[in-house]
Amino acid sequence: MQKLTYISIEKVDPIWTQDELLNIQKILLKKHMVYLDNETFEIEAGVTQTQIQIRVSLLRNDKSLYYPIECVFVKETTEKIKESEIAVTIMDYLDLYWSSYFLEERNIFIPLDWSKHEFEGISFYIRGFVRNLQLEASADDFLQKHGHGEYDIQSISSET
């Protein structure tokens, strides 16, 4: 089995047009508007020869909250699949998750590491993590201004 990874959006082929992505975003915003606090959804979707991937992120306008959820469907070489149907099914799953997330007062989270999920007959992998991009930028500015001290601080990512 290949190592699961969410590939940079620049390195994948689009599943949907920009207009289709905007329409999906508008639907999510409209559906969950009552729960949003100066927040919006960002959506990415792409496909390679080996996988279909979708990222739906909840982003607060001041960047104090960034909650991306990444999904990867691994293509089997013998499968005949319709990529757009798989992507729509994953979006349906994510929409249900966001509904639960808001109804549970933002107290349920997707696991940090890849976990396998099944929904409407398909299996895919999902992970999520909450970040404070505003605080991270402040920390980076502080370290650039004052230095790292005696320690060599390396960037980390979910892929290491």
Side-chain angles (χ1 to χ4, degrees):
M1 183 176 149
Q2 74 184 46
K3 179 182 178 198
L4 290 172
T5 186
Y6 188 87
I7 302 168
S8 172
I9 197 66
E10 296 83 26
K11 296 180 182 178
V12 298
D13 296 323
I15 293 175
W16 296 308
T17 66
Q18 197 62 31
D19 286 341
E20 290 170 322
L21 283 172
L22 287 173
N23 285 336
I24 294 167
Q25 181 185 24
K26 286 178 186 176
I27 291 167
L28 280 175
L29 287 169
K30 185 176 181 179
K31 183 172 182 181
H32 302 292
M33 179 175 36
V34 69
Y35 300 107
L36 300 179
D37 180 23
N38 294 314
E39 296 163 322
T40 190
F41 288 102
E42 294 179 346
I43 303 169
E44 295 177 358
V47 62
T48 68
Q49 288 183 330
T50 59
Q51 71 185 37
I52 298 167
Q53 65 180 38
I54 294 176
R55 178 189 292 154
V56 177
S57 304
L58 179 64
L59 178 65
R60 189 164 293 142
N61 295 344
D62 67 0
K63 298 191 179 184
S64 63
L65 171 74
Y66 175 61
Y67 184 13
I69 298 176
E70 299 172 344
C71 297
V72 171
F73 172 85
V74 178
K75 293 182 184 179
E76 300 295 329
T77 56
T78 59
E79 283 186 281
K80 294 287 184 194
I81 59 167
K82 292 188 177 180
E83 294 165 348
S84 61
E85 288 179 14
I86 299 292
V88 166
T89 301
I90 292 172
M91 280 303 303
D92 287 346
Y93 179 88
L94 290 173
D95 180 42
L96 289 172
Y97 168 76
W98 288 116
S99 293
S100 297
Y101 175 76
F102 292 126
L103 289 173
E104 294 293 326
E105 299 180 6
R106 301 178 184 229
N107 286 320
I108 58 171
F109 298 97
I110 297 291
L112 290 170
D113 203 2
W114 293 112
S115 60
K116 189 174 185 177
H117 292 254
E118 292 190 29
F119 183 70
E120 293 187 4
I122 67 162
S123 296
F124 57 94
Y125 297 87
I126 187 169
R127 70 178 178 184
F129 36 91
V130 178
R131 298 174 59 189
N132 183 331
L133 300 179
Q134 184 183 56
L135 187 59
E136 289 178 25
S138 294
D140 288 342
D141 290 344
F142 178 85
L143 290 172
Q144 285 200 346
K145 182 178 179 184
H146 298 286
H148 298 273
E150 296 178 20
Y151 302 98
D152 186 24
I153 299 176
Q154 302 292 324
S155 295
I156 60 170
S157 81
S158 57
E159 301 303 330
T160 55

